Amino acid sequence: MTQPKLTRRRLLAGSAAASVPAIAALHEAIPHQGLHRALGGDQDALAASQHAHGGPGAAAGGLAMHNGFSGTVDHEANGFNPSDIVRDFDYGTTSRLPGGRVLREWTLVAQDKDIEVAPGVDFPAWAYNGRIPGPTLRCSQGERLRIHFANGSSHPHTIHFHGIHPDFMDGMPGIGEGRGGGQIEPGEEFTYEFDAEPFGLHLYHCHVMPLAAHIAKGLYGAFIIDPAQGRPAADELVMVMNGFDTNFDRANEVYAANTIGFAYMDRPIVARRNELVRVYLVNVLEYDLVNSFHLHGNLFHYYPTGTSPEPSEFTDTVMLCQGQRGILEWRFPQTGRFMFHAHQSEFTELGWQGFFEVRD
Ligand SMILES: [Cu+2]
């Protein structure tokens, strides 16, 4: 007699999954059964789910080589491209407060938007400013920040920032409603205002319940506070590690850095030999306990949360829980193609992999 396996995913599936509408058409779009059976311990299924998507030769095909996918994602229709997002830092607009201090402002709008997260697979996302991840907000330590938030979605949302700020600016439902904050209903607006402290790499995300659904739908982004004295010049990149539960079973079918699986296989990130590379790495992945970043052919200095000028480690692999983030720095001494990916092979195979192409 067979007894259903008790798994974390089955436990989670009992609670709030019903809050997001299932799209039946997506169900068969990604051949995930082999993988899920494999997770349950079926070794034949594990073997069946193996497939070649390894070397640079496969890069030209990208997702076309993966699990029977064909074609590529229409980045233009999505309105954003991971190859742009990786170097896109949003400094907002600045003015001076009385006394000379910098006031930095942004406007973020939450919207319901279908996004093609893998070829032919549309995900009914919720997004800040029409993109996932939302804009990478960047400022300097000690500035005054103002973030104008408009909820254009059909669901209530907030922006919860990591960092130091007053409770009613925390984007936390139930706190701050009396001062215009807390949960922001559809059609409502609120302006978050606080000081940029401390310097480091932070993040922001919606904090409305059910929390897992609101984050998994795409409402998050990186938030960088530069030290007042700045950091050494570098080729700077931002990677927000995420995933998408395209069939609403509270397990992801697509994994990526910056949303689109295999995007940096199809179009490698170009780096210059001997130039300092700095990656702002954030993990927002929902439904999996950990995520990771592994670099081939090199090691990097790792600065957890970016809050110290001294690295904690010289390594080639770093592991992060949801909400954890850190800054990676290294130089490529040689030209060539160097892979980077999650070192959970399962995530790698489902999209979270890419290449650096190092040139002179
Ligand atoms: Cu939300």
Side-chain angles (χ1 to χ4, degrees), residues 1-348:
M1 138 180 181
T2 54
Q3 203 165 347
K5 272 198 170 68
L6 188 64
T7 66
R8 174 177 66 88
R9 283 172 183 169
R10 285 200 181 122
L11 282 171
L12 286 169
S15 54
S19 65
V20 273
I23 293 193
L26 292 177
H27 216 89
E28 298 307 317
I30 296 184
H32 57 278
Q33 275 306 326
L35 177 68
H36 286 189
R37 281 206 314 274
L39 290 171
D42 183 336
Q43 292 304 308
D44 290 341
L46 178 60
S49 72
Q50 307 289 331
H51 49 82
H53 197 292
L63 261 175
M65 301 287 290
H66 181 76
N67 265 350
F69 278 119
S70 61
T72 53
V73 164
D74 186 345
H75 301 298
E76 207 164 309
N78 278 345
F80 64 91
N81 189 322
S83 295
D84 300 328
I85 278 181
V86 74
R87 287 192 173 91
D88 182 12
F89 299 93
D90 188 338
Y91 291 89
T93 58
T94 58
S95 57
R96 294 277 175 182
L97 292 166
R101 195 174 163 207
V102 169
L103 170 69
R104 194 176 295 275
E105 299 179 75
W106 298 270
T107 297
L108 262 63
V109 180
Q111 297 160 305
D112 304 346
K113 181 180 178 181
D114 284 358
I115 287 174
E116 188 183 9
V117 295
V121 182
D122 283 340
F123 179 77
W126 300 337
Y128 292 122
N129 290 9
R131 45 170 279 179
I132 302 176
T136 298
L137 307 183
R138 189 157 184 182
C139 59
S140 287
Q141 182 184 18
E143 293 175 343
R144 188 70 171 172
L145 308 181
R146 235 174 240 169
I147 304 98
H148 306 281
F149 175 54
N151 186 0
S153 164
S154 54
H155 303 263
H157 299 300
T158 70
I159 311 177
H160 162 70
F161 287 89
H162 289 222
I164 300 171
H165 47 246
D167 65 352
F168 68 102
M169 291 295 169
D170 195 41
M172 185 64 207
I175 299 173
E177 266 82 357
R179 302 168 81 171
Q183 182 161 304
I184 310 301
E185 300 298 330
E188 289 186 350
E189 299 182 10
F190 182 67
T191 297
Y192 298 92
E193 181 167 338
F194 48 86
D195 296 334
E197 294 291 348
F199 78 79
L201 171 56
H202 309 298
L203 67 154
Y204 62 89
H205 58 86
C206 178
H207 214 298
V208 169
M209 299 294 277
L211 191 52
H214 279 253
I215 292 178
K217 290 280 259 178
L219 290 169
Y220 46 75
F223 171 40
I224 299 169
I225 303 179
D226 288 320
Q229 70 277 17
R231 296 183 188 275
D235 179 15
E236 296 194 311
L237 310 168
V238 62
M239 294 189 193
V240 177
M241 301 191 289
N242 54 356
F244 294 93
D245 172 16
T246 59
N247 60 5
F248 308 105
D249 63 351
R250 294 176 78 82
N252 296 300
E253 283 71 48
V254 173
Y255 293 83
N258 297 336
T259 301
I260 310 298
F262 303 103
Y264 305 119
M265 300 294 285
D266 296 335
R267 195 170 151 193
I269 297 171
V270 174
R272 294 288 161 191
R273 190 164 73 94
N274 290 330
E275 187 178 16
L276 182 64
V277 176
R278 178 178 298 127
V279 173
Y280 294 91
L281 181 72
V282 179
N283 181 35
V284 295
L285 183 67
E286 194 60 71
Y287 306 129
D288 288 281
L289 293 178
V290 296
N291 204 338
S292 60
F293 177 102
H294 169 56
L295 178 64
H296 282 210
N298 216 326
L299 281 81
F300 52 82
H301 295 280
Y302 185 64
Y303 303 77
T305 321
T307 47
S308 167
E310 298 303 322
S312 67
E313 200 178 3
F314 186 52
T315 182
D316 60 22
T317 306
V318 64
M319 181 177 82
L320 299 96
C321 182
Q322 189 188 49
Q324 276 192 302
R325 64 277 185 189
I327 298 174
L328 289 58
E329 289 184 348
W330 74 88
R331 296 172 199 270
F332 289 105
Q334 297 172 31
T335 58
R337 280 199 163 194
F338 297 95
M339 200 181 186
F340 63 99
H341 60 93
H343 217 306
Q344 287 97 329
S345 308
E346 159 191 14
F347 299 179
T348 313

